[in-house]
Amino acid sequence: MITANLGVLLARQGKRVVLVDLDLGASNLHTFIEQPDTGRGLESFLGKSVDQFSEVVMPTKIPNLFFVSSRNCLTEAANLHTAHKLKIIRAIQKLDFDYVFMDLGAGTNFNMLDFFLTSKQGFFVCTPEPTSIENSFNFIKAVYFRVIKKTLKQNTFNQVIRHLDLSGNTMDQSFRIINAVTKQDHEKGALLREKLKGFHFRFVVNQLRRNDDPSLGSKIEKVCNRHFYSKFTFLGNIRFDDKIHDSILMRKTFITNYSYTRSANDLARIARSINI
Amino acid sequence: MTAFDDYTHYEILDLPANATLDDIRKAYKENLSIYDIDSLSTYSLFTTLEREKILAQVESAFQILVDGEKRKAYDKLLLVSGRLSPEMLR
């Protein structure tokens, strides 16, 4: 919902935007932007029925907004082969748009993390519930772990973790690895820290209800900026609104049908903060 | 990185070095609420041990900065170590 509406808002501001539905096996982004099945999507690119990725970048009814569908991908598409994943990532990196939004599903599987790591400007969404916030922290930890694993060679990684207690899912797991690497090879440790510092996580708190703490996002931002290496920016709250539910039931784009609502204003404010 | 190991007391409370007593008390309260065991923003981020360590550091920072004499002595230490410049205290 958020990807679709931010895409529409940025396109309305004159930016060329493409939305890529990478929630493989569970794609539904097309419904949020009222995009009909064009018969062309990611499956055409992976199945080689088209030569270029640009051939599956389809226009939408919103000027400046383009869309890559995965609605016709196999049900098992989430378990993407590495070669296919790399093919998609390389193709996306070549896209010439002002904004490329990759809509990812929830979770911390390798494919999801690698898609997320395609950019250094990742977004995540949480709701003001402990379970959702916990998932967000788990996601950040998983991103860190993935970056470390990808940066270090397998042998080095195995050698480093051999003497470490990495049980559980504690916050300092990645930091313990980085400290151990630094002890062995100062430059490599510094490289890992620099890589993680280079990431800019942005996030929104969605479905904020009347009794929820509106400063929750700012608190999370503060904590993350203090205790992780990367930069974190809280973009704002999106207030809970039954109209969002209504728009989904009608399979209509929320922002175009309910632009007068407070939630639509929240989304517009977030879009303006991105478009700078 | 998990706690505030390399942070000054000012950094722990997220305050400038010329913060007023009122600022210090406000920041202390805010930090206590952020790192409280029931805090929605951190309850799932830290282990009990990590949280205890952080809260102890917040407490220690507050006890020093809220006491005029202790703060002066601490500022001197920061000035000597180069982590603070005289302009920052104005």
Side-chain angles (χ1 to χ4, degrees):
Chain A
M1 191 287 282
I2 293 173
T3 310
N5 286 286
L6 289 180
V8 172
L9 285 161
L10 288 167
R12 276 192 198 161
Q13 290 171 25
K15 301 292 176 187
R16 289 184 76 245
V17 181
V18 59
L19 309 178
V20 186
D21 193 347
L22 286 173
D23 190 359
L24 303 175
S27 60
N28 56 20
L29 190 55
H30 49 271
T31 305
F32 289 101
I33 56 163
E34 305 173 41
Q35 181 77 346
D37 188 358
T38 58
R40 262 192 194 183
L42 219 47
E43 75 290 346
S44 323
F45 178 63
L46 295 176
K48 297 180 184 171
S49 63
V50 299
D51 294 327
Q52 302 294 324
F53 192 70
S54 57
E55 294 175 68
V56 299
V57 178
M58 309 305 287
T60 69
K61 64 179 193 177
I62 314 269
N64 297 321
L65 184 68
F66 296 81
F67 181 59
V68 178
S69 169
S70 60
R71 71 196 296 170
N72 294 323
C73 283
L74 294 172
T75 313
E76 285 189 321
N79 309 311
L80 205 58
H81 192 278
T82 306
H84 279 169
K85 173 176 68 185
L86 294 175
K87 190 178 176 184
I88 294 170
I89 289 174
R90 283 192 203 109
I92 288 174
Q93 284 172 331
K94 284 181 192 160
L95 287 172
D96 185 21
F97 282 83
D98 294 319
Y99 291 96
V100 178
F101 281 89
M102 295 184 279
D103 188 46
L104 308 177
T108 57
N109 67 63
F110 286 167
N111 290 335
M112 208 66 79
L113 293 173
D114 289 343
F115 284 137
F116 186 84
L117 289 169
T118 305
S119 161
K120 288 186 173 177
Q121 307 273 333
F123 281 72
F124 64 89
V125 177
C126 63
T127 60
E129 290 152 358
T131 43
S132 174
I133 295 165
E134 186 165 10
N135 279 348
S136 301
F137 288 143
N138 286 338
F139 181 74
I140 300 162
K141 289 183 222 168
V143 167
Y144 270 38
F145 208 77
R146 186 69 176 155
V147 170
I148 292 169
K149 262 189 140 173
K150 285 183 87 173
T151 307
L152 298 176
K153 283 183 182 148
Q154 191 67 44
N155 280 348
T156 315
F157 182 80
N158 290 340
Q159 205 186 327
V160 169
I161 64 164
R162 198 176 300 150
H163 305 294
L164 291 176
D165 174 17
L166 295 178
S167 55
N169 184 19
T170 62
M171 147 123 197
D172 68 345
Q173 211 170 46
S174 297
F175 303 117
R176 271 185 276 159
I177 298 174
I178 293 172
N179 288 341
V181 170
T182 308
K183 269 184 195 164
Q184 281 186 10
D185 184 336
H186 188 79
E187 272 183 28
K188 209 167 264 175
L191 172 73
L192 282 175
R193 270 190 288 272
E194 281 310 308
K195 278 211 165 190
L196 295 172
K197 270 184 193 168
F199 284 101
H200 185 176
F201 293 85
R202 297 166 200 235
F203 68 99
V204 299
V205 175
N206 193 21
Q207 297 182 25
L208 191 90
R209 287 173 168 84
R210 199 174 300 153
N211 293 329
D212 290 326
D213 174 11
S215 66
L216 176 65
S218 304
K219 287 176 184 168
I220 294 172
E221 177 191 70
K222 189 172 206 168
V223 167
C224 288
N225 278 322
R226 286 174 148 197
H227 298 284
F228 287 103
Y229 291 112
S230 316
K231 185 178 177 191
F232 289 79
T233 302
F234 169 53
L235 295 174
N237 295 312
I238 300 171
R239 281 168 280 194
F240 179 85
D241 196 330
D242 281 325
K243 294 283 189 299
I244 293 175
H245 175 68
D246 295 346
S247 72
I248 296 169
L249 285 184
M250 291 190 299
R251 284 174 274 166
K252 296 284 181 192
T253 307
F254 172 71
I255 204 76
T256 49
N257 289 277
Y258 295 101
S259 59
Y260 58 89
T261 60
R262 291 193 302 179
S263 304
N265 282 328
D266 293 338
L267 281 160
R269 191 169 12 85
I270 290 166
R272 281 196 298 275
S273 73
I274 296 168
N275 185 15
I276 43 173
Chain B
M1 193 67 188
T2 54
F4 296 121
D5 293 340
D6 302 324
Y7 281 35
T8 67
H9 292 328
Y10 292 106
E11 287 166 339
I12 288 172
L13 295 182
D14 200 16
L15 285 167
N18 60 359
T20 63
L21 272 179
D22 198 37
D23 295 335
I24 292 166
R25 288 201 179 94
K26 269 187 201 156
Y28 172 64
K29 275 186 189 166
E30 192 196 9
N31 274 280
L32 287 187
S33 88
I34 287 178
Y35 294 107
D36 186 82
I37 183 73
D38 291 326
S39 162
L40 194 54
S41 53
T42 61
Y43 104 95
S44 55
L45 189 57
F46 303 111
T47 62
T48 308
L49 273 178
E50 287 166 347
R51 185 181 305 281
E52 282 171 0
K53 188 177 174 189
I54 290 169
L55 282 170
Q57 286 169 310
V58 167
E59 188 62 39
S60 164
F62 175 69
Q63 292 302 337
I64 287 174
L65 297 186
V66 84
D67 181 313
E69 288 304 309
K70 285 180 186 169
R71 186 177 176 182
K72 256 186 203 167
Y74 181 69
D75 286 348
K76 262 186 195 168
L77 276 177
L78 291 182
L79 286 166
V80 169
S81 67
R83 298 189 73 178
L84 206 64
S85 62
E87 300 83 57
M88 292 162 86
L89 289 169
R90 283 180 203 139

